[in-house]
Amino acid sequence: MIARLFCYLIAVAMISVAPAASAEDGYDLWLRYAPANDARAGEITRHATAIATTGHNATLTAATQELQRGLLGMTHTTPALTRAVAQGALWLATPATDATLPVALDGLGDEGYAIRSTQADGKAVTLIAANSDVGLLHGAFHWLRLAQSGAPLDRLDIRSAPKIKLRLLNHWDNLDGMVERGYAGQSIWDWWRLPDYKGPRYTDYARANASIGINGTVLNNVNAKATSLTAPYIAKAAALADVFRPYGIKVYLSVKWTAPMELDGLKTADPLDPQVAAWWKAKADEIYRAIPDFGGFLVKANSEGQPGPQDYDRTHADGANMLAAAVKPHGGIVMWRAFVYAHDNPDDRAKQAYDDFKSLDGTFADNVIVQVKNGAIDFQPREPFHPLFGAMPKTPLMMEFQITKEYLGQSTHLTYLGPLFEETLDADTYARGKGSTVAEVIDGTLDGHKLTGIAGVANIGVDRDWSGSIFNQADWYAFGRLAWNPDLSAEGIAREWAAMTFTPDPKLVKPVVAMMMGSREAAVDYMTPLGLAHVMGTGHHYGPAPWISDLARPEWNPVYYHKADATGIGFDRTKSGSNAIAQYAPPVAKMLADPKTTPEKELLWFHHLPWDYRLKSGETLWDGLVHHYDRGVAYVADMQKTWENLRPLVDPERFAQTEAFLKIQHREAKWWRDASIAYFQSIAKRPLPTGSDAPAHDLDWYKAQDFPYAPGNP
Ligand code: GCW
């Protein structure tokens, strides 16, 4: 009896100390499928009494399994898979499985879908229809998004097709597991144990990406090693391609220009040398034997020390076209990066990519797409759109965004990138008159291109939460959603994400979205207000170091970018300076020629102005600068308060992570503010405006900070 009681007590104790089965560590991303309340669960169940489909293949299985997984999570019941439609069924169909469908599929391409509440055999059903199975998978994820976020499930009539063809992640993952500019731990590619061991995480990666419409992934760093093109590594990439294929995701590789020399002892990598071209053709053939749907190559050439065709007095187009010919017979493409600037070019770094590429317009092969960063320098908290957008009408240009936050607080700052992406996509290039947005350049509508693309440098690593923080997941999510449809709003995307990641309860969604929406501007305020840029610490880019001036190359030094001196601050890119503004279409150039018509948020990017220049607010530039820093810090303090109020609505683990990270962000925002003010004040020699506190330390203290082990630094 006593023994039995003892056992009972142990059992009770175990129950009370065992972690909740639903402990949240972020691994499930936005695919949590958390239990819905009774009313909502009933509603969801009524719209998914069964899953009807007659097709059979890995992609369809992925779709039906995802629906079953989602429904089990949300409603605690698993609908049966049936061949015949039942009342209330989710019906997945393509023209191949069902000759007559009560919905037109034209215009949906091979990745889009329609979702419609309709009748079949006299029964009310929700039809998910597409031209292809991958379209059905995307449709299934859309339906699950509606179900998870509390949206109505009846009277649906949705049609959706991607506006951009290539929607890719770029992994800057090295073969040794280190991720360049990665803040979420080591690479998720376990190269060592591939191809034999394909862990479950690869499938979850594919699910997450397919759920937001990403259809390709470049596995390795653009600072590439030739080794990734050897037979063992091709086999490893092929193993990953096998996992991703059912999810509609293709594999691509970054290549090192001198691979033919390094791997097979060729004497040159000259793109016009027939032996070099033959080597690449044979290499492409070898890759396609292992990966029949291989996507193609991504190339960083003649950039930051990487070799390239210019080493042989050839152009970027010569290089790109030679590689393009190698993959062309297999339907592959070449993505050639325009991120170039040279140590021996004394001209403004912001001008160099345009100067190198503009004249090559029209000379690229038809399976080459030029990949251009959103701005002309390098993923800064804010950059004006890159002048190449709109300037190469005969060449398809693809966008490169950085999802990993090299310059925006790395893993711990909550700085939602949706508004940054949106701002660039919505920017008007005026290239073919008013309304020629960057989005229209990259979705091909402006100049009639069919090959279109957008890439995001991934923020993914082996951390349980994938992205280094729960809120960084939103950047991955937003990138995918905007890649599918660049016209979506960053705010709407944040709403979807917050509802799925936490709860659809408006008591959470509203404040979380409000906090996210202003968070990037806050980072701009405390790091690089009014158009300042690239004042981060050398190498690791973590934290402020606007004083650095002693590095070998001028453009490695923050002082190069802000040009603060006794007379004022900012980079003169007008006629009196580098004249970078002339690279923009005339109406844009005209607007930027005058500080009064330049958007104030980009002021010091284009103009060097006196410290007492009057801002639109009436305050001096110096006072305004200080107020921006103040505002940035205050915003983070407000986010801390908002988050604290949400404690009852968020699970403890994810609450605690964000709480701790906001504390770090607040401390670092203050550090940014104080260090920047201490430094600029030593040059401007003006008092702080009334109400603004003096920096906590003197300038020397900030200069003495050192971060030898900051993550992500190659
Ligand atoms: O932003 C800079 C980074 C480098 C990166 C480079 C690039 C992969 O600091 O780490 O290298 O851009 O985009 O090529």
Side-chain angles (χ1 to χ4, degrees):
M1 176 66 195
I2 287 181
R4 208 181 286 166
L5 182 65
F6 186 65
C7 287
Y8 171 73
L9 286 177
I10 286 187
V12 168
M14 279 174 66
I15 290 168
S16 54
V17 297
S22 60
E24 301 256 16
D25 57 14
Y27 184 84
D28 292 336
L29 297 160
W30 47 87
L31 302 175
R32 288 167 55 251
Y33 308 126
N37 65 35
D38 289 351
R40 178 65 178 170
E43 191 184 346
I44 295 172
T45 310
R46 274 198 306 285
H47 290 90
T49 55
I51 300 170
T53 180
T54 50
H56 279 294
N57 58 60
T59 300
L60 205 54
T61 303
T64 54
Q65 280 182 352
E66 192 72 30
L67 287 166
Q68 286 185 313
R69 175 203 287 253
L71 288 159
L72 178 63
M74 291 183 285
T75 70
H76 298 300
T77 52
T78 311
L81 283 183
T82 62
R83 293 181 69 81
V85 291
Q87 176 69 22
L90 275 174
W91 174 30
L92 274 56
T94 65
T97 59
D98 297 82
T100 52
L101 289 171
V103 63
L105 299 177
D106 44 302
L108 296 178
D110 50 9
E111 293 184 295
Y113 54 85
I115 306 179
R116 177 181 275 188
S117 310
T118 184
Q119 297 274 323
D121 296 340
K123 291 161 187 134
V125 296
T126 303
L127 169 65
I128 302 179
N131 291 311
S132 71
D133 296 308
V134 165
L136 293 183
L137 179 66
H138 291 150
F141 275 117
H142 189 135
W143 188 86
L144 284 165
R145 183 161 70 234
L146 299 177
Q148 279 206 88
S149 51
L153 297 174
D154 48 10
R155 279 176 246 154
L156 298 180
D157 191 4
I158 296 164
R159 297 172 67 76
S160 185
K163 295 204 169 154
I164 299 176
K165 193 171 163 196
L166 311 172
R167 306 176 300 281
L168 312 190
L169 289 184
N170 285 185
H171 286 265
W172 285 358
D173 294 20
N174 295 332
L175 302 185
D176 64 3
M178 189 260 178
V179 181
E180 182 158 347
R181 311 310 179 182
Y183 312 101
Q186 294 280 103
S187 169
I188 57 166
W189 316 134
D190 187 351
W191 292 112
W192 191 249
R193 287 187 281 188
L194 280 165
D196 303 291
Y197 179 59
K198 297 183 270 191
R201 199 162 185 145
Y202 301 145
T203 306
D204 289 333
Y205 169 88
R207 289 175 50 232
N209 280 316
S211 78
I212 49 177
I214 284 169
N215 66 359
T217 177
V218 184
L219 299 174
N220 59 325
N221 192 350
V222 288
N223 291 333
K225 290 265 187 279
T227 312
S228 57
L229 294 177
T230 57
Y233 278 85
I234 292 173
K236 293 167 193 282
L240 291 174
D242 290 343
V243 178
F244 303 158
R245 189 168 296 111
Y247 293 88
I249 297 167
K250 284 188 185 178
V251 155
Y252 299 73
L253 290 173
S254 298
V255 296
K256 184 163 186 190
W257 187 254
T258 44
M261 300 167 76
E262 290 184 39
L263 297 182
D264 284 310
L266 267 65
K267 295 269 168 310
T268 174
D270 180 349
L272 301 192
D273 183 301
Q275 278 188 9
V276 172
W279 188 92
W280 281 105
K281 196 179 168 327
K283 187 51 75 181
D285 293 348
E286 181 188 349
I287 295 173
Y288 277 94
R289 275 195 298 279
I291 313 173
D293 56 354
F294 179 66
F297 296 136
L298 171 63
V299 194
K300 171 173 177 178
N302 295 118
S303 161
E304 300 188 328
Q306 292 297 321
Q310 291 179 336
D311 303 342
Y312 308 90
D313 287 329
R314 312 295 186 198
T315 67
H316 287 288
D318 293 330
N321 294 347
M322 184 274 290
L323 285 184
V327 292
K328 174 104 178 168
H330 307 282
I333 58 134
V334 170
M335 296 168 286
W336 194 271
R337 293 175 92 224
F339 177 68
V340 296
Y341 59 101
H343 64 280
D344 50 359
N345 185 347
D347 207 353
D348 179 0
R349 172 175 166 187
K351 288 171 67 182
Q352 296 186 25
Y354 180 102
D355 287 343
D356 259 17
F357 278 81
K358 163 82 180 153
S359 61
L360 298 176
D361 191 23
T363 65
F364 288 96
D366 63 1
N367 58 333
V368 174
I369 185 163
V370 174
Q371 182 165 314
V372 183
K373 288 189 182 182
N374 58 293
I377 299 282
D378 190 15
F379 301 138
Q380 294 305 295
R382 167 165 284 124
E383 291 196 38
F385 71 86
H386 201 299
L388 276 175
F389 291 116
M392 295 183 68
K394 295 187 210 125
T395 310
L397 300 187
M398 71 188 277
M399 171 66 75
E400 179 174 323
F401 281 130
Q402 194 179 45
I403 308 173
T404 190
K405 295 190 304 207
E406 177 179 353
Y407 297 98
L408 281 115
Q410 305 191 346
S411 75
T412 48
H413 292 206
L414 196 168
T415 42
Y416 171 50
L417 299 181
L420 185 161
F421 301 156
E422 182 176 48
E423 178 176 299
T424 310
L425 293 167
D426 289 352
D428 196 345
T429 69
Y430 280 80
R432 316 290 158 262
K434 193 172 161 46
S436 311
T437 62
V438 171
E440 286 170 64
V441 175
I442 63 158
D443 73 14
T445 50
L446 193 66
D447 297 309
H449 291 295
K450 293 264 172 311
L451 180 57
T452 57
I454 180 166
V457 179
N459 64 354
I460 296 165
V462 286
D463 277 9
R464 274 298 289 174
D465 64 24
W466 299 83
S467 301
S469 89
I470 299 300
F471 276 86
N472 288 349
Q473 298 174 354
D475 301 326
W476 176 9
Y477 183 84
F479 170 76
R481 299 286 289 128
L482 284 166
W484 183 274
N485 181 1
D487 300 334
L488 292 177
S489 79
E491 185 166 357
I493 292 171
R495 266 200 301 275
E496 290 174 9
W497 176 81
M500 292 190 288
T501 300
F502 297 110
T503 159
D505 185 344
K507 287 210 282 300
L508 177 133
V509 172
K510 246 183 117 191
V512 163
V513 169
M515 160 171 112
M516 288 167 76
M517 284 307 291
S519 60
R520 179 274 190 140
E521 199 61 47
V524 170
D525 277 339
Y526 62 72
M527 291 179 177
T528 53
L530 291 168
L532 290 178
H534 222 305
V535 290
M536 294 75 188
T538 304
H540 48 68
H541 296 157
Y542 164 75
W547 45 81
I548 290 179
S549 64
D550 57 355
L551 303 174
R553 284 166 57 164
E555 79 284 355
W556 283 352
N557 294 289
V559 296
Y560 170 91
Y561 296 94
H562 62 69
K563 303 213 183 309
D565 57 21
T567 68
I569 181 170
F571 199 125
D572 183 3
R573 294 194 160 102
T574 67
K575 247 193 192 137
S576 51
S578 78
N579 206 21
I581 61 166
Q583 296 181 334
Y584 288 100
V588 179
K590 188 168 169 233
M591 176 184 81
L592 298 174
D594 180 351
K596 293 286 171 218
T597 52
T598 301
E600 230 162 49
K601 57 188 188 187
E602 296 172 351
L603 197 59
L604 304 177
W605 185 281
F606 292 111
H607 303 279
H608 188 273
L609 296 169
W611 294 106
D612 295 323
Y613 174 85
R614 288 282 156 192
L615 296 172
K616 295 206 170 84
S617 59
E619 60 197 339
T620 64
L621 176 56
W622 165 249
D623 286 358
L625 201 59
V626 174
H627 284 143
H628 274 282
Y629 290 121
D630 284 342
R631 268 207 291 283
V633 179
Y635 192 92
V636 182
D638 281 348
M639 291 203 287
Q640 289 183 286
K641 281 189 215 123
T642 304
W643 190 247
E644 183 52 45
N645 289 335
L646 293 168
R647 188 185 288 273
L649 294 172
V650 182
D651 50 281
E653 191 169 339
R654 293 187 304 163
F655 183 86
Q657 187 206 59
T658 304
E659 183 188 33
F661 286 3
L662 283 170
K663 201 165 160 200
I664 296 173
Q665 184 175 6
H666 188 250
R667 186 178 69 227
E668 294 185 348
K670 198 162 169 335
W671 166 40
W672 262 101
R673 172 211 181 265
D674 286 359
S676 306
I677 291 178
Y679 170 68
F680 288 127
Q681 192 174 27
S682 75
I683 300 171
K685 304 206 185 308
R686 277 157 176 78
L688 291 177
T690 336
S692 288
D693 295 338
H697 303 277
D698 64 13
L699 182 55
D700 288 338
W701 187 91
Y702 296 106
K703 286 187 176 176
Q705 304 306 305
D706 188 25
F707 306 97
Y709 303 115
N713 192 18

